[in-house]
Amino acid sequence: MIGFWRRSFEGLSRAATSRAGFLVLSSLWLFVPYFILNSGQHRLLVRGMAVLFVLLAVLLGMASRGIYVLFGLAILLLNAVYVHLKYHWGLELSESRFEAAFSGEFSETLEYCRIYFGSPEIVFFLYGIAALYLIYRTCRSPGFSRRARIVAGLLLLPLLALLFFVRGPAMHFPPVFLVKDVFEAKSRLGQIAERAAIVRAVQSQPRACPEGYEKIVIVIGESALRDRMSLYGYPLETTPFLDSLRPYRFDGLAGANQTRYAVPLLLTHASVGDFQEFFSTPSLVSELKACGYETWWISNQGGPGIGETYVESIADEADHQRFMSSLDYVRIGYDGKIVDTLGRYLTGDTRKQAFFLHLRGSHFDYQERYPSDFALKPGVDVVSQYDNTIYYTDHILSEIFGRLDSATVNMSDGRGLLFAYASDHGEVVSDTLHGHGFFPGFKEEYRIPMIFWTRRPRGDSLQAGAEGRTVNEESFAGMIEYLTGMKDHPDLSFSSEVISLAPENIQDYNRLKSAFSQP
Ligand SMILES: [Zn+2]
């Protein structure tokens, strides 16, 4: 009996250390991550694809060692990206990560590595060493006979045909979609670069803003769900300042559930149905500049290198930009920094100034968004922490408004200020599920506040035009154009079309599910 096991073991180890054994082992090892780490909804498909790719690797290894080495190294590189994205960002963000990687500077890349190099990378490093050793041993073993190489080459043809045939579902196989995302991110960055040139050409044409505000402030919120604001009926007093301000209040419908598409929908003429418009037209920033405003973009979200390249493209249109946050995605400072910066550049004279303030607002991790003395609810649960972010944002809005109001109180008979606030998108908030950017989206991701404050009569007519209806965020730029007098009609959109994750995924808000029942 013992003899049998010993002979079997010796036989197996001889097989494993033969030239075919090393080839099969190294090919299998290259795709191990997709057998053990993958737990998504396409689990079976990914594993099936992994089997096909193991077969592909073995045939390549038999046919040509040079091609095998190149193929193995490419897969190893993609595996590193896969493991890294999966553990730090979630794979659905891969395209935006590539955009960030291609647009970032080297010093930022180093900083990034310092923050995001952890235990998954160390485990992967050891895995990679083993993979390199197996590839090396495969190539050190004696080559296959000419006949075996020809047979392998011939078998490759039907396999490649099969892979071509299943290329649709294969898009769920990480090495395939990571490559696709790299190309898409590259082409998107190219489009954004072209946008800058187009915008510059249009910017030189002057416009008129006959309503003549001295100061305009447009605050872009982050992940604020209006159902959690007392201004919109939430029973807990989370927005005491806005409650007392009594602004023009609209039931806003976000056009997208991700910042990078939602902010362009708010500030440009891109719409849910035609997002491409973003790449060829300037934003409100340029329009106000053309009306003679000194334009400022002050942001507590990432500057270049953090993946919001769409938003940066808009920020670049401003005369001045200030990015408050460092690269650290989680531990950035509170939005209070924006108020201090605003205070530095806001002038008390009648110089026309337009401020675009991009908050960090209620973005997860919620407890990192407010100082502890702004905890309206002391609870450590996710829902309480989220409510506290709304409460703190209300405080920030009161500080911003206070500064602008006192600067303009003596201008245009006290009618010198236009104040606007809208969140980019909403948020799913519960103890079991929270966040945004789901596919398909949940209703809560699209329910945003849209608020305007002005003492001029156009505010009343704007409000009357939307009485009792939900306004799609793609109207926001037109509403500002109307309030400033750039246009005579706000062209409100009551469309229920929304984007989930990416512009090609247009859905009907009315058909989306609620993640849970509202309080
Ligand atoms: Zn956002």
Side-chain angles (χ1 to χ4, degrees), residues 97-167:
R97 288 307 322 148
F98 290 133
E99 279 180 16
F102 295 140
S103 58
E105 288 177 14
F106 184 63
S107 60
E108 285 167 351
T109 308
L110 287 181
E111 172 82 345
Y112 177 89
C113 291
R114 191 182 59 74
I115 298 166
Y116 289 107
F117 197 85
S119 43
E121 281 76 13
I122 292 168
V123 173
F124 183 82
F125 182 73
L126 299 175
Y127 159 86
I129 295 286
L132 287 175
Y133 173 74
L134 286 172
I135 291 174
Y136 167 75
R137 283 307 301 260
T138 305
C139 293
R140 279 294 306 274
S141 343
F144 287 86
S145 67
R146 198 175 126 82
R147 183 185 296 178
R149 295 211 310 269
I150 291 172
V151 169
L154 288 176
L155 285 175
L156 269 172
L157 293 174
L159 183 61
L160 290 174
L162 177 66
L163 288 174
F164 182 78
F165 183 69
V166 298
R167 71 187 188 285

Side-chain angles (χ1 to χ4, degrees), residues 121-434:
E121 281 76 13
I122 292 168
V123 173
F124 183 82
F125 182 73
L126 299 175
Y127 159 86
I129 295 286
L132 287 175
Y133 173 74
L134 286 172
I135 291 174
Y136 167 75
R137 283 307 301 260
T138 305
C139 293
R140 279 294 306 274
S141 343
F144 287 86
S145 67
R146 198 175 126 82
R147 183 185 296 178
R149 295 211 310 269
I150 291 172
V151 169
L154 288 176
L155 285 175
L156 269 172
L157 293 174
L159 183 61
L160 290 174
L162 177 66
L163 288 174
F164 182 78
F165 183 69
V166 298
R167 71 187 188 285
M171 286 301 167
H172 298 296
F173 187 48
V176 178
F177 77 64
L178 290 175
V179 169
K180 173 184 76 88
D181 281 359
V182 165
F183 282 103
E184 284 187 359
K186 279 271 188 197
S187 89
R188 203 70 59 83
L189 282 176
Q191 279 185 300
I192 288 172
E194 285 167 30
R195 178 180 187 271
I198 294 168
V199 166
R200 263 195 301 278
V202 181
Q203 264 180 347
S204 49
Q205 300 159 12
R207 298 195 61 158
C209 290
E211 287 291 309
Y213 295 100
E214 275 84 8
K215 310 287 172 190
I216 295 175
V217 61
I218 293 170
V219 186
I220 303 137
E222 173 61 62
S223 308
L225 170 64
R226 70 171 131 87
D227 306 73
R228 293 275 166 186
M229 301 171 67
S230 47
L231 183 71
Y232 284 90
Y234 188 50
L236 186 71
E237 202 185 1
T238 48
T239 55
F241 161 69
L242 290 176
D243 297 344
S244 67
L245 183 69
R246 298 165 60 86
Y248 296 107
R249 184 194 74 178
F250 295 83
D251 289 345
L253 184 71
N257 60 352
Q258 281 205 95
T259 307
R260 60 200 182 121
Y261 303 118
V263 173
L265 288 176
L266 276 176
L267 299 182
T268 74
H269 290 282
S271 62
V272 174
D274 184 10
F275 190 81
Q276 277 302 109
E277 188 72 10
F278 167 69
F279 296 105
S280 55
T281 51
S283 74
L284 266 184
V285 178
S286 288
E287 291 182 348
L288 290 176
K289 204 162 145 178
C291 285
Y293 284 87
E294 177 192 53
T295 47
W296 287 83
W297 186 278
I298 303 175
S299 168
N300 196 26
Q301 302 226 6
I306 203 142
E308 306 289 6
T309 48
Y310 297 79
V311 183
E312 281 158 30
S313 178
I314 299 173
D316 280 345
E317 295 173 47
D319 296 310
H320 315 278
Q321 299 89 14
R322 295 290 181 273
F323 286 94
M324 305 289 103
S325 68
S326 71
L327 196 63
D328 192 328
Y329 198 72
V330 180
R331 290 178 298 276
I332 63 175
Y334 304 126
D335 283 336
K337 284 195 287 187
I338 282 192
V339 182
D340 300 335
T341 310
L342 170 69
R344 223 169 295 143
Y345 301 113
L346 172 68
T347 61
D349 54 28
T350 55
R351 190 192 313 175
K352 285 164 90 179
Q353 289 182 302
F355 294 95
F356 292 81
L357 310 179
H358 195 189
L359 305 183
R360 196 65 190 168
S362 302
H363 198 288
F364 196 74
D365 184 350
Y366 309 135
Q367 60 180 333
E368 302 287 343
R369 298 291 158 252
Y370 54 90
S372 52
D373 45 332
F374 278 92
L376 178 66
K377 290 163 84 176
V380 290
D381 59 295
V382 162
V383 175
S384 301
Q385 288 173 356
Y386 182 83
D387 286 349
N388 292 339
T389 66
I390 297 287
Y391 184 63
Y392 182 61
T393 298
D394 182 73
H395 165 73
I396 294 299
L397 291 175
S398 89
E399 293 276 308
I400 292 168
F401 183 86
R403 282 174 192 254
L404 268 299
D405 193 41
S406 51
T408 51
V409 72
N410 295 321
M411 295 172 193
S412 306
D413 301 328
R415 303 196 302 172
L417 171 63
L418 172 60
F419 173 83
Y421 166 68
S423 182
D424 58 346
H425 49 77
E427 183 88 336
V428 172
V429 191
S430 76
D431 287 324
T432 48
L433 183 68
H434 51 81

